[in-house]
Amino acid sequence: MPDDDAPQYVPQSPVEYGKPPAGWRRRMYDVIFEADTPAGRRFDVALVVAILLSILVVVLDSVPRLHRDHADLLNAFEWGFTALFTVEYAARIACVQRPWRYATGFYGVIDLLAVLPSYFSLLMPGTELLLDIRILRLLRVFRIFKLTLYIEEYTRLGEALAASRRKILVFLSVVLMAILILGTIMYVVEGPKNGYTSIPVAMYWATVTMTTVGYGDITPHTNLGKAIASFMMLLGWGILAVPTGIVTAEMTLRHRAEHAGPARSERTCAACGSKGHDANARFCKDCGAAMS
Amino acid sequence: MPDDDAPQYVPQSPVEYGKPPAGWRRRMYDVIFEADTPAGRRFDVALVVAILLSILVVVLDSVPRLHRDHADLLNAFEWGFTALFTVEYAARIACVQRPWRYATGFYGVIDLLAVLPSYFSLLMPGTELLLDIRILRLLRVFRIFKLTLYIEEYTRLGEALAASRRKILVFLSVVLMAILILGTIMYVVEGPKNGYTSIPVAMYWATVTMTTVGYGDITPHTNLGKAIASFMMLLGWGILAVPTGIVTAEMTLRHRAEHAGPARSERTCAACGSKGHDANARFCKDCGAAMS
Amino acid sequence: MPDDDAPQYVPQSPVEYGKPPAGWRRRMYDVIFEADTPAGRRFDVALVVAILLSILVVVLDSVPRLHRDHADLLNAFEWGFTALFTVEYAARIACVQRPWRYATGFYGVIDLLAVLPSYFSLLMPGTELLLDIRILRLLRVFRIFKLTLYIEEYTRLGEALAASRRKILVFLSVVLMAILILGTIMYVVEGPKNGYTSIPVAMYWATVTMTTVGYGDITPHTNLGKAIASFMMLLGWGILAVPTGIVTAEMTLRHRAEHAGPARSERTCAACGSKGHDANARFCKDCGAAMS
Amino acid sequence: MPDDDAPQYVPQSPVEYGKPPAGWRRRMYDVIFEADTPAGRRFDVALVVAILLSILVVVLDSVPRLHRDHADLLNAFEWGFTALFTVEYAARIACVQRPWRYATGFYGVIDLLAVLPSYFSLLMPGTELLLDIRILRLLRVFRIFKLTLYIEEYTRLGEALAASRRKILVFLSVVLMAILILGTIMYVVEGPKNGYTSIPVAMYWATVTMTTVGYGDITPHTNLGKAIASFMMLLGWGILAVPTGIVTAEMTLRHRAEHAGPARSERTCAACGSKGHDANARFCKDCGAAMS
C-alpha cells in the first residue's frame, strides 16, 4: 500500500473555537483548553479524575444492592458531579470566541449530553425511562479521549491501525463470508432441534467458534457437526493469525523506523549519489563529501 | 523456501470467455465483464449490493418468526432477485463469444446454481426438501469473489497465505497428531462415563481445548484428566503461536519489501541484465561492470 | 542468546543400523530405509498410507455403534494391518547389518509395540484390559515421524522452536508462578462452595482462564472473584502475547535469512575490504574486483 | 519512544546488605548470597528444590482428601521445611554486615513471612483463621525470583516488557473504555432478566467475551444482544492483536540486534569518536574522516 492513501491522523485542535486575545477569558481559556502550562495540566488531570469518579458512581449505582442501600449517597455524588460539569460547560462556553462552534461540535455535544440526563430525571421522575437516560451519563468517558488525544502513544496506535485499515477491512469481509457459509452449513447439518434455530443464530455460533470465544450455549450434537466444528476451529485460528500478522508487520516497520531514525533511505549524496545515509549523517559514508 | 515453488496467484481472466469485437454485445460485455469503465464499475457495485440484499433475504427467511409473519414480502423479494439474476445470467450468455465455456466454467455454474433453487421450489412444493435447496441460493456469495478478485488487497492476502502454504500444512499435520495422541490419552483416562464416549469425540474435545475455544460441553472430571488438560492448554497455546509466527514473518517481509521500494530487486545491470542489486551497489555483482 | 548453545537438530540417521554392502539385503535396505530412490519413495508413501488407514481403524473401532455393528470388518482390517506391519518389521530386522541395534532403538521399539497389542489380544481375550492395550496400536503414529523427519519444513520448524527453547522455558516458569499465585488467591476468595475445592482445582481453573480456553465448568460467583478473574484474563492475554512474540521474532529472522541468502554479512571483498555482499555475488559491488 | 525513558532493569544486588571482609561469615556469605562459586550454585539449586517441594506440600494439603488421609505426613514435611527455612533465615541474618537492612528489605520480609505462618498456627490452633494464614506460606514462591533474577533470559524478558510498558498501558486504557461502553450497552439491551444484573457484571461479561475466554456463564439471549456480542468478539480479536504486535515488534528488534552483532552500533570513528556507523561505511558520517 503506498503511503499516499494512508490517512493523516490529525487531532482536532481546540484553536478552531477561537482563542481570546487577552484578559480573564484568555487566562481561563489557557487553563481549560490548553495543556502546556502547569495550571492547564493540573486542570486536565483534575478533570480526568472527576470524570472517572463520576463514571464509577454511575457504574456502582447500577448494582441493585448498592442502589437500594446507598441511594442518597450516590445521588448526592451524582448531583455534585453534575454541578461541577455544568459549571465547567458554562466556563467553556464563556471563554471561547465562537461559543456556538464549540456547542455544536463533537465535544460540545458530548459535554452537554453528559450533564443533561441528571436534569431530565428531575423533570420526569418515572423510573422506567430513567434507567436508559441515566446511562447516557457514561458518555462522559468520551471526554477523556479529548484530553488524551494529545498523548503521543494514542496517536501512534491510531496511525498504525489506520495504515492497516484497508487490509483489516479485506480480512474482515473474508471472515464474514466464512461465518455466513459455515454458519449456514451447520444450520443445515444440525438443524433447529440442536439449537441452530435460524441462519442468524448459526452465524452467531460460527462467530463464537471462529473467534475462539466458545461460550458453549450452542454446541454441535451430531458427529458430522462436530467434525465441521473442529475444522472451523482450526480454520478460524489460522485465519485469525492474519490480523495479528497485519498489525505486527505494520508495528515492526514503524518500530524500526523510530529506532533507525527518519528518512534513512531517502538521503542522497550530492557528490557521489550514494544512498542509505543516516538522517543525522553530515558526511557521505561512501565518498566523504559533506552532506547538504 | 525458495521463491520458485511459491505459486503465482493469477486471477481467472474473463477474457477467456471471448470478448466480442464490436456492436451492442461488445458494449454489454464491457459493462458486465469489465471493471475499468465508469459504467462497468457502477454495474459491479450494483451487482454486489443486489447479491448482498438477496443473501440478507435468504438469511432472514430462515428465522421462524420472520418466515411466518412476512412470508409474502420475503417471497416477493426472493422472486425479484431471482428475476434480476436470471436476466443477468441470460445477458452474460448472450454477450460472450464462447457462451458454453462461460456456462461450464466455475462462475457460470455458480451463476446458474444461484437462480435454480427458486425455480425448483415451483416444481416441488414440498416443504421438506425445500429447505436444503433454498440454502443453495447462498452460493451467490461466491459471485462476490469474482467481482472482488481484482482488488489488490485480496491478491496480496492470497499471495502471503499461498507462500506460507507448505509451512502451514506441516504445522497442521503436527497439530493433528497432537490432537490424535492427546485425545486418545484423555479417552483412556476419562472414559465414556465422563463424556469422552469415543476417540473421535475425545479428538473433538482436544481440538476445542487446543484451539482455546473451550465450549465446556465436555470437560475433564478426574484429577489426572484436569492435569493433562492443563498441560494441553499451555501446549496448545505454545503450538498455536506458530501459525501466527509463520504468517507474520511472511507479512513483515512483504511489508518491508513494499515500503523499501523497488531499489533492490528492480535495479538491472545494463551490461549483463542481472537483477537483485543493492540500492547502493556501484558495480554489478555478477559481471563487475559499473552500475549506472 | 548466542548461537553456540542453540542445539543442532540432526535427524537420527538409519545408517547407524548398518547398511549391507550388496545383494538382496542391500536392495531391500535401499527400498525400506532410504528415500532417495523412486522405489524407496513409493515404499515410504505406501507405508504412510497404511499407517494412517490402520490408525483410522483404531479410531473408528472406539465408536460404540461402529464397534457393535461392524466388529468383524474392523477386526479383519486390524489383522490385515497387523500382518502387514509384522512382515515389515521382519523385513527391517532381516536387512540391517546390526538388527539388535535397530530392535532396541527408539523406532525399533515403536515398530514392535505397534504390532504386539493385536497378538496380546489373542492371548488375553478379557475385554477389560483389552481396551488400554489396543490403544497402544496408536503408537504407529510415531512411525510417521520417522518417515517425515527428512522433510525440510519439519526440520525448519524444529530448529525455530529449539532455538527459542530457553526463552519459552523461562516464559513457562513465569506463567506457572502466575497460575499458582492467582489460583491460590481465587481459592481463598471463592472457596470450596463455589467449586474451587482445592488449590490444584483452582490452578486448573486459572490455566483454563489465562489460556483463554474458558470451559465455564468452574466460574467465579463473588464480585471480588469476578474482578480478579477479569484482571487475570487481561493479564493472561498480555502474558500470552509473549510466546507469539518469541516464535515470531525467531521466524522473521530465519525467514529473512532464507530470502537474503546465506552469509550476506560475512563475505568480504579481498580488494577493497567492503562487506555486505550477496552470497552469489561474483564481483565486489563497491570496487568491481572479482570476489573469491 | 526514545530510549531515554526506557527504564534500566537493574537486579537488586545483595552487595547492599554488606559483604563481610573474611572469616566464616565471609565463607557463609559467599555460599548463601553469591552464585558464582560451585558451592554457591549448589546451595541455590538445593534451595530452589526445597522451596518447590514446600510449595507442593502446601498445594497438596489443600486437597480435602489428602488433608484428611495424610495430615500427619504433610504436617511433618511442613515442619521440616519450616525448620530448614528458619535456619536459613538465621544464617542470612548472621552473615551479612547490615542484618537490619536485609531484614527490612523486600526479600528479608518475604523470607520471614514464609516461615511465620507455621509458628502462628501453634499459637492460634483455631481452624477458621488458619487457612488464610497458611496460604501465606506460598509467598515462598517469590524467593525463587531472587535466585533466578540473575538468569539472563528473565532480564531480557523483563527489558522487552518494560520497553513496551507505555504502549501496553495506552492499549489497556483503550480496552477498558471499550469494556465499559460495550458492557453498559449490553446491560441496557439484555437487562437483569438475562443475567446482566448490573454494569459491573456486564463489564465482567464484556471482559470474558473480548479476551475470547468465553465461560458461557452469562450469554446474550436477545437477537440484538447476539448481534452486538458477535461484533464485540470480532472487535475484541482485532484489538487484542495489538499487544501481540507491540511485544513482537519489540522482540524482533532486540532479536535482530543480538544476531546482527555490534557491527553497526559499535564501530567508532578514530578521528571524532562518533558511533553508529554502518558496517560498510568508508568515511565517518559525522566528521568525514576515512574509517579504518
Side-chain angles (χ1 to χ4, degrees), chain B residues 1 166-167 170 173-174 177 184 198-200 205 209 212-216 220 233 237 245 248 250 256 264 278 282-288, chain C residues 62 132 135 138 144-145 153-154 156 204 208 211-215 240 243-244 248 255-256 258 264 278 280-288:
Chain B
M1 190 166 53
R166 282 194 66 176
K167 283 182 186 161
V170 163
S173 68
V174 173
M177 275 192 210
T184 305
S198 66
I199 293 181
W205 172 84
T209 297
T212 76
V213 170
Y215 285 135
M233 290 167 209
W237 220 98
T248 304
E250 186 67 37
R256 189 170 48 237
R264 178 174 161 84
D278 279 5
R282 289 186 297 161
F283 294 92
C284 173
K285 67 189 168 83
D286 289 309
C287 71
Chain C
S62 77
D132 290 4
I135 294 299
L138 278 180
I144 291 183
F145 276 120
E153 266 78 16
Y154 274 99
R156 289 261 178 85
Y204 159 74
V208 168
T211 55
T212 76
V213 170
Y215 285 136
L240 288 167
T244 308
T248 304
H255 205 79
R256 190 170 46 238
E258 284 168 38
R264 177 175 162 83
D278 279 5
N280 61 346
R282 289 186 297 161
F283 294 92
C284 173
K285 66 188 170 83
D286 288 310
C287 72

Coordinates of all heavy atoms in Angstrom, one line a residue, chain B residues 1 166-167 170 173-174 177 184 198-200 205 209 212-216 220 233 237 245 248 250 256 264 278 282-288, chain C residues 62 132 135 138 144-145 153-154 156 204 208 211-215 240 243-244 248 255-256 258 264 278 280-288:
Chain B
M1 N 12.3 -21.3 2.1 CA 11.6 -21.8 0.9 C 12.0 -20.9 -0.3 O 11.8 -19.7 -0.2 CB 10.1 -21.8 1.1 CG 9.4 -22.5 0.0 SD 7.6 -22.7 0.6 CE 7.1 -21.1 1.0
R166 N 3.1 -24.4 2.5 CA 3.8 -25.6 2.9 C 4.0 -25.6 4.4 O 3.8 -26.6 5.1 CB 5.1 -25.8 2.2 CG 4.9 -26.3 0.8 CD 6.2 -26.8 0.2 NE 6.7 -28.0 0.9 CZ 7.8 -28.6 0.5 NH1 8.5 -28.2 -0.5 NH2 8.2 -29.7 1.1
K167 N 4.5 -24.5 5.0 CA 4.7 -24.4 6.4 C 3.5 -24.6 7.2 O 3.5 -25.3 8.2 CB 5.3 -23.0 6.7 CG 6.8 -22.9 6.4 CD 7.3 -21.6 6.8 CE 8.8 -21.4 6.3 NZ 9.2 -20.0 6.2
V170 N 2.6 -28.3 7.2 CA 3.4 -29.1 8.1 C 2.9 -28.9 9.5 O 2.8 -29.8 10.3 CB 4.9 -28.6 7.9 CG1 5.7 -29.0 9.1 CG2 5.5 -29.2 6.7
S173 N -0.3 -30.8 10.3 CA -0.1 -32.2 10.5 C 0.4 -32.5 11.9 O 0.0 -33.4 12.5 CB 0.9 -32.8 9.4 OG 2.2 -32.3 9.6
V174 N 1.3 -31.6 12.4 CA 1.8 -31.8 13.8 C 0.6 -31.6 14.7 O 0.5 -32.4 15.7 CB 2.9 -30.7 14.1 CG1 3.3 -30.8 15.5 CG2 4.1 -31.0 13.2
M177 N -1.6 -34.6 14.7 CA -1.0 -35.7 15.5 C -1.2 -35.5 17.0 O -1.5 -36.4 17.8 CB 0.5 -35.9 15.2 CG 0.7 -36.7 14.0 SD 2.5 -37.0 13.8 CE 2.7 -37.1 12.1
T184 N -6.7 -39.4 22.5 CA -6.7 -40.8 22.8 C -6.4 -41.0 24.3 O -7.0 -41.8 25.0 CB -5.8 -41.6 21.9 OG1 -6.1 -41.3 20.6 CG2 -5.9 -43.1 22.2
S198 N -15.9 -41.8 22.7 CA -15.1 -42.5 21.7 C -13.9 -41.6 21.4 O -13.8 -40.5 21.8 CB -16.0 -42.7 20.5 OG -16.3 -41.5 19.8
I199 N -13.0 -42.2 20.6 CA -11.8 -41.4 20.3 C -12.1 -40.2 19.4 O -11.6 -39.1 19.7 CB -10.7 -42.3 19.6 CG1 -10.2 -43.4 20.6 CG2 -9.6 -41.5 19.1 CD1 -9.1 -44.3 20.1
P200 N -13.0 -40.4 18.4 CA -13.4 -39.2 17.7 C -14.0 -38.1 18.5 O -13.6 -36.9 18.4 CB -14.5 -39.7 16.7 CG -14.1 -41.1 16.5 CD -13.6 -41.6 17.8
W205 N -13.0 -32.9 21.5 CA -12.7 -32.2 22.7 C -11.3 -31.6 22.7 O -11.0 -30.5 23.1 CB -12.8 -33.1 23.9 CG -12.4 -32.5 25.2 CD1 -13.1 -31.6 26.0 CD2 -11.1 -32.6 25.7 NE1 -12.3 -31.2 27.0 CE2 -11.0 -31.8 26.9 CE3 -9.9 -33.3 25.4 CZ2 -9.9 -31.7 27.7 CZ3 -8.8 -33.2 26.2 CH2 -8.8 -32.4 27.3
T209 N -10.1 -27.8 23.0 CA -9.2 -27.3 24.0 C -8.0 -26.6 23.4 O -7.6 -25.5 23.9 CB -8.8 -28.5 24.9 OG1 -10.0 -29.0 25.5 CG2 -7.8 -28.1 26.0
T212 N -8.2 -23.2 22.1 CA -8.6 -22.3 23.1 C -10.1 -21.9 22.9 O -10.5 -20.9 23.4 CB -7.8 -21.1 23.3 OG1 -8.0 -20.2 22.2 CG2 -6.3 -21.4 23.3
V213 N -10.9 -22.7 22.2 CA -12.3 -22.4 22.0 C -13.0 -22.6 23.4 O -13.7 -21.8 23.9 CB -13.0 -23.1 20.9 CG1 -14.5 -23.0 20.9 CG2 -12.4 -22.7 19.5
G214 N -12.9 -23.9 23.8 CA -13.4 -24.2 25.2 C -14.9 -24.1 25.4 O -15.3 -23.3 26.2
Y215 N -15.7 -24.8 24.6 CA -17.1 -24.8 24.8 C -17.5 -25.1 26.2 O -18.4 -24.5 26.8 CB -17.8 -25.8 23.9 CG -17.9 -25.4 22.5 CD1 -17.6 -26.3 21.5 CD2 -18.3 -24.1 22.1 CE1 -17.7 -26.0 20.1 CE2 -18.3 -23.8 20.8 CZ -18.0 -24.7 19.8 OH -18.1 -24.4 18.5
G216 N -16.9 -26.2 26.8 CA -17.4 -26.7 28.1 C -18.5 -27.7 28.0 O -19.0 -28.1 29.0
P220 N -12.9 -32.3 31.6 CA -12.3 -33.4 32.4 C -12.9 -33.4 33.8 O -13.1 -32.3 34.4 CB -10.9 -33.1 32.4 CG -10.8 -31.6 32.1 CD -11.9 -31.3 31.3
M233 N -3.6 -27.2 27.3 CA -3.9 -25.8 27.1 C -2.6 -25.0 26.9 O -2.5 -24.2 25.9 CB -4.7 -25.2 28.2 CG -6.1 -25.8 28.3 SD -6.8 -25.3 29.9 CE -7.9 -26.7 30.1
W237 N -1.5 -23.4 23.4 CA -1.2 -22.0 23.1 C 0.2 -21.9 22.5 O 0.4 -21.1 21.6 CB -1.3 -21.2 24.4 CG -1.9 -20.0 24.1 CD1 -3.2 -19.6 24.3 CD2 -1.3 -18.8 23.6 NE1 -3.4 -18.4 23.9 CE2 -2.3 -17.8 23.4 CE3 0.0 -18.6 23.1 CZ2 -2.0 -16.6 22.8 CZ3 0.3 -17.3 22.6 CH2 -0.7 -16.4 22.4
G245 N 3.3 -16.9 13.9 CA 4.6 -16.6 13.6 C 4.9 -16.7 12.1 O 5.5 -15.9 11.5
T248 N 3.0 -13.9 10.2 CA 3.6 -12.6 10.5 C 5.0 -12.4 9.8 O 5.3 -11.4 9.3 CB 3.7 -12.4 12.0 OG1 2.5 -12.6 12.6 CG2 4.3 -11.0 12.4
E250 N 6.0 -13.8 7.1 CA 5.8 -13.6 5.7 C 5.4 -12.2 5.4 O 5.8 -11.5 4.5 CB 4.7 -14.6 5.2 CG 4.5 -14.7 3.7 CD 5.7 -15.2 3.0 OE1 6.4 -16.1 3.5 OE2 6.0 -14.6 1.9
R256 N 7.9 -4.9 4.3 CA 9.1 -4.2 4.2 C 9.5 -4.0 2.7 O 9.9 -3.0 2.3 CB 10.3 -4.9 4.9 CG 11.5 -4.0 5.0 CD 12.5 -4.5 6.0 NE 12.7 -5.9 5.7 CZ 12.5 -6.9 6.5 NH1 12.2 -6.6 7.8 NH2 12.7 -8.2 6.2
R264 N 16.1 -2.5 -4.5 CA 17.0 -3.7 -4.5 C 16.6 -4.7 -5.7 O 17.5 -5.0 -6.4 CB 16.9 -4.5 -3.2 CG 17.7 -5.7 -3.2 CD 17.7 -6.4 -1.8 NE 18.2 -7.8 -2.0 CZ 19.4 -8.1 -2.0 NH1 20.4 -7.3 -1.9 NH2 19.8 -9.4 -2.2
D278 N 22.0 -4.3 -4.7 CA 21.7 -3.4 -3.6 C 21.5 -2.0 -4.2 O 21.9 -1.7 -5.3 CB 22.9 -3.3 -2.7 CG 22.8 -4.5 -1.7 OD1 22.0 -5.4 -1.9 OD2 23.7 -4.5 -0.8
R282 N 27.7 -0.1 -6.6 CA 28.3 0.7 -7.7 C 28.8 -0.1 -8.9 O 29.0 0.3 -10.0 CB 29.4 1.6 -7.1 CG 28.8 2.7 -6.2 CD 29.9 3.7 -5.8 NE 30.9 3.0 -5.0 CZ 32.1 3.5 -4.9 NH1 32.5 4.6 -5.4 NH2 33.0 2.8 -4.1
F283 N 29.0 -1.4 -8.6 CA 29.4 -2.3 -9.6 C 28.5 -3.5 -9.6 O 28.0 -4.0 -8.6 CB 30.9 -2.8 -9.4 CG 31.9 -1.6 -9.5 CD1 32.2 -0.9 -8.4 CD2 32.4 -1.3 -10.8 CE1 33.1 0.2 -8.6 CE2 33.2 -0.2 -10.9 CZ 33.6 0.5 -9.8
C284 N 28.2 -4.1 -10.8 CA 27.4 -5.3 -10.9 C 28.1 -6.4 -10.2 O 29.2 -6.7 -10.4 CB 27.2 -5.6 -12.4 SG 26.3 -7.2 -12.6
K285 N 27.3 -7.1 -9.3 CA 27.9 -8.2 -8.5 C 28.0 -9.4 -9.3 O 28.6 -10.4 -8.9 CB 27.0 -8.4 -7.2 CG 25.6 -9.0 -7.5 CD 24.8 -9.0 -6.2 CE 23.4 -9.3 -6.5 NZ 23.1 -10.7 -6.6
D286 N 27.4 -9.4 -10.5 CA 27.5 -10.6 -11.4 C 28.6 -10.5 -12.5 O 29.3 -11.5 -12.8 CB 26.2 -10.9 -12.0 CG 25.2 -11.4 -11.0 OD1 25.5 -12.3 -10.2 OD2 24.1 -10.8 -10.9
C287 N 28.7 -9.3 -13.1 CA 29.7 -9.2 -14.2 C 30.8 -8.2 -13.9 O 31.8 -8.1 -14.6 CB 29.0 -8.9 -15.5 SG 28.4 -7.2 -15.6
G288 N 30.6 -7.4 -12.8 CA 31.7 -6.4 -12.5 C 31.6 -5.1 -13.2 O 32.5 -4.2 -13.0
Chain C
S62 N -13.3 -47.4 18.2 CA -13.6 -46.9 19.6 C -15.0 -46.3 19.6 O -15.5 -46.1 20.7 CB -12.6 -45.8 20.0 OG -12.9 -44.6 19.4
D132 N -7.2 -50.7 26.9 CA -6.0 -49.8 27.0 C -4.8 -50.4 26.2 O -4.0 -49.6 25.6 CB -5.6 -49.8 28.5 CG -6.5 -49.0 29.3 OD1 -7.5 -48.6 28.7 OD2 -6.3 -48.7 30.5
I135 N -5.2 -49.5 22.5 CA -4.9 -48.1 22.2 C -3.4 -48.0 21.8 O -3.0 -47.1 21.1 CB -5.2 -47.2 23.5 CG1 -6.7 -47.2 23.7 CG2 -4.6 -45.8 23.3 CD1 -7.5 -46.7 22.6
L138 N -2.0 -47.1 18.5 CA -1.9 -45.8 18.0 C -0.4 -45.3 18.0 O -0.1 -44.3 17.4 CB -2.7 -44.8 18.8 CG -4.2 -44.8 18.4 CD1 -5.0 -43.9 19.3 CD2 -4.3 -44.4 17.0
I144 N 5.2 -42.4 11.6 CA 5.2 -41.4 10.6 C 6.3 -40.3 10.8 O 6.9 -39.8 9.8 CB 3.8 -40.7 10.5 CG1 2.8 -41.7 10.1 CG2 3.8 -39.5 9.7 CD1 1.4 -41.2 9.9
F145 N 6.6 -40.0 12.0 CA 7.7 -39.1 12.3 C 9.0 -39.5 11.6 O 9.7 -38.7 11.0 CB 7.9 -38.9 13.8 CG 7.0 -37.9 14.4 CD1 6.2 -38.3 15.4 CD2 7.0 -36.6 14.0 CE1 5.3 -37.3 16.0 CE2 6.2 -35.7 14.6 CZ 5.3 -36.0 15.6
E153 N 10.7 -28.9 5.9 CA 9.9 -28.0 6.8 C 9.8 -28.4 8.2 O 9.9 -27.6 9.1 CB 8.4 -27.8 6.2 CG 8.3 -26.7 5.3 CD 8.8 -27.0 3.9 OE1 9.1 -28.2 3.6 OE2 9.0 -26.0 3.1
Y154 N 9.7 -29.7 8.5 CA 9.7 -30.2 9.8 C 11.0 -29.8 10.5 O 11.0 -29.3 11.7 CB 9.6 -31.7 9.9 CG 8.2 -32.2 9.8 CD1 7.7 -32.7 8.7 CD2 7.4 -32.2 11.0 CE1 6.4 -33.2 8.6 CE2 6.1 -32.7 10.9 CZ 5.6 -33.2 9.7 OH 4.3 -33.6 9.7
R156 N 13.0 -27.3 9.8 CA 13.0 -25.9 10.0 C 12.2 -25.5 11.2 O 12.6 -24.7 12.1 CB 12.3 -25.2 8.8 CG 13.2 -25.2 7.5 CD 13.9 -23.9 7.4 NE 14.8 -23.9 6.2 CZ 14.3 -23.7 5.0 NH1 13.1 -23.3 4.7 NH2 15.2 -23.8 3.9
Y204 N -6.1 -25.4 38.0 CA -6.7 -25.8 36.8 C -7.6 -24.8 36.2 O -7.5 -24.4 35.0 CB -7.5 -27.1 37.0 CG -8.5 -27.5 36.0 CD1 -8.2 -28.0 34.8 CD2 -9.9 -27.3 36.3 CE1 -9.2 -28.3 33.8 CE2 -10.9 -27.6 35.4 CZ -10.5 -28.1 34.1 OH -11.5 -28.4 33.2
V208 N -7.2 -22.7 32.7 CA -8.3 -22.5 31.7 C -8.6 -21.1 31.4 O -8.9 -20.7 30.3 CB -9.6 -23.2 32.3 CG1 -10.8 -22.9 31.5 CG2 -9.4 -24.7 32.4
T211 N -5.2 -19.1 29.6 CA -5.0 -19.5 28.2 C -6.2 -19.2 27.3 O -6.2 -19.5 26.2 CB -4.8 -21.1 28.1 OG1 -5.9 -21.7 28.7 CG2 -3.5 -21.5 28.8
T212 N -7.2 -18.5 27.9 CA -8.5 -18.1 27.2 C -9.3 -19.3 26.7 O -10.1 -19.1 25.8 CB -8.2 -17.1 26.1 OG1 -7.7 -17.8 24.9 CG2 -7.2 -16.0 26.5
V213 N -9.1 -20.5 27.3 CA -9.9 -21.6 26.9 C -11.3 -21.4 27.4 O -12.3 -21.4 26.7 CB -9.3 -22.9 27.4 CG1 -10.3 -24.1 27.2 CG2 -8.0 -23.2 26.7
G214 N -11.5 -21.2 28.7 CA -12.8 -20.8 29.3 C -13.8 -21.8 29.2 O -14.9 -21.5 28.5
Y215 N -13.7 -23.0 29.7 CA -14.7 -24.0 29.6 C -16.0 -23.5 30.3 O -17.1 -23.7 29.7 CB -14.3 -25.3 30.4 CG -13.3 -26.1 29.7 CD1 -12.3 -26.7 30.4 CD2 -13.4 -26.4 28.4 CE1 -11.3 -27.5 29.8 CE2 -12.5 -27.2 27.7 CZ -11.5 -27.8 28.5 OH -10.5 -28.5 27.8
L240 N 0.4 -14.0 27.4 CA 0.4 -15.0 26.3 C 0.8 -14.4 24.9 O 0.9 -15.1 24.0 CB -0.9 -15.7 26.2 CG -1.1 -16.7 27.4 CD1 -2.5 -17.2 27.5 CD2 -0.2 -17.9 27.3
P243 N 4.8 -15.7 24.0 CA 5.4 -16.8 23.2 C 5.2 -16.5 21.7 O 6.1 -16.9 20.9 CB 4.5 -18.0 23.6 CG 3.3 -17.5 24.3 CD 3.8 -16.2 24.9
T244 N 4.1 -15.9 21.3 CA 3.9 -15.5 19.9 C 5.0 -14.6 19.5 O 5.6 -14.7 18.4 CB 2.5 -14.8 19.8 OG1 1.5 -15.6 20.3 CG2 2.3 -14.5 18.3
T248 N 7.6 -15.6 16.7 CA 7.6 -14.8 15.5 C 8.9 -14.1 15.3 O 9.4 -14.0 14.1 CB 6.5 -13.7 15.7 OG1 5.2 -14.3 15.9 CG2 6.4 -12.8 14.4
H255 N 13.3 -16.3 8.3 CA 12.7 -16.1 7.1 C 13.5 -15.1 6.2 O 13.8 -15.3 5.1 CB 11.3 -15.5 7.3 CG 10.3 -15.7 6.2 ND1 9.7 -16.9 6.1 CD2 9.9 -14.9 5.2 CE1 8.9 -16.8 5.0 NE2 9.0 -15.6 4.5
R256 N 14.0 -14.0 6.9 CA 14.7 -13.0 6.1 C 16.1 -13.6 5.7 O 16.5 -13.4 4.6 CB 15.0 -11.8 7.0 CG 15.6 -10.6 6.2 CD 15.6 -9.4 7.0 NE 16.1 -9.6 8.3 CZ 15.4 -9.3 9.4 NH1 14.2 -8.8 9.3 NH2 16.0 -9.6 10.5
E258 N 16.7 -16.7 5.0 CA 16.4 -17.5 3.8 C 16.3 -16.8 2.5 O 16.9 -17.1 1.5 CB 15.1 -18.3 4.0 CG 15.2 -19.5 5.0 CD 13.8 -19.9 5.3 OE1 12.9 -20.0 4.4 OE2 13.5 -20.3 6.5
R264 N 25.3 -13.3 3.9 CA 25.4 -12.0 3.3 C 26.3 -11.1 4.0 O 27.1 -10.4 3.4 CB 24.0 -11.4 3.3 CG 23.9 -10.0 2.7 CD 22.5 -9.5 2.6 NE 22.5 -8.1 2.4 CZ 22.7 -7.5 1.3 NH1 22.9 -8.1 0.2 NH2 22.6 -6.1 1.2
D278 N 26.1 -10.1 -1.5 CA 25.3 -11.3 -1.6 C 26.1 -12.6 -1.6 O 27.2 -12.5 -2.0 CB 24.4 -11.2 -2.9 CG 23.3 -10.2 -2.7 OD1 23.2 -9.6 -1.6 OD2 22.4 -10.1 -3.6
N280 N 25.7 -14.9 -3.6 CA 26.0 -15.3 -5.0 C 26.7 -14.2 -5.8 O 26.9 -14.3 -7.0 CB 24.7 -15.7 -5.7 CG 23.7 -14.6 -5.8 OD1 23.9 -13.6 -5.1 ND2 22.7 -14.8 -6.6
A281 N 27.2 -13.2 -5.1 CA 27.9 -12.1 -5.9 C 29.2 -12.6 -6.3 O 30.0 -13.2 -5.6 CB 28.1 -10.9 -4.9
R282 N 29.5 -12.2 -7.6 CA 30.8 -12.7 -8.1 C 31.8 -11.5 -8.2 O 33.0 -11.7 -8.4 CB 30.6 -13.3 -9.5 CG 29.9 -14.7 -9.4 CD 29.9 -15.4 -10.7 NE 29.1 -14.6 -11.7 CZ 29.2 -14.7 -13.0 NH1 30.0 -15.6 -13.5 NH2 28.4 -14.0 -13.8
F283 N 31.3 -10.3 -8.2 CA 32.2 -9.1 -8.2 C 31.8 -8.2 -7.1 O 30.6 -8.1 -6.7 CB 32.0 -8.4 -9.6 CG 32.5 -9.2 -10.7 CD1 31.6 -10.0 -11.5 CD2 33.8 -9.1 -11.1 CE1 32.1 -10.7 -12.5 CE2 34.3 -9.9 -12.2 CZ 33.4 -10.7 -12.9
C284 N 32.8 -7.5 -6.5 CA 32.5 -6.6 -5.4 C 31.6 -5.5 -5.9 O 31.9 -4.9 -6.9 CB 33.8 -6.0 -4.9 SG 33.6 -4.7 -3.7
K285 N 30.5 -5.2 -5.2 CA 29.6 -4.1 -5.6 C 30.2 -2.8 -5.3 O 29.6 -1.8 -5.7 CB 28.3 -4.3 -4.9 CG 28.2 -4.1 -3.4 CD 26.9 -4.5 -2.8 CE 26.9 -4.5 -1.3 NZ 26.7 -3.2 -0.7
D286 N 31.3 -2.7 -4.5 CA 31.9 -1.4 -4.2 C 33.1 -1.0 -5.1 O 33.2 0.2 -5.5 CB 32.3 -1.3 -2.7 CG 31.1 -1.3 -1.8 OD1 30.2 -0.4 -2.1 OD2 30.9 -2.1 -0.9
C287 N 33.9 -2.0 -5.4 CA 35.1 -1.7 -6.2 C 35.2 -2.4 -7.5 O 36.0 -2.2 -8.4 CB 36.4 -1.9 -5.4 SG 36.8 -3.7 -5.2
G288 N 34.3 -3.4 -7.7 CA 34.2 -4.1 -9.0 C 35.2 -5.2 -9.2 O 35.3 -5.9 -10.2

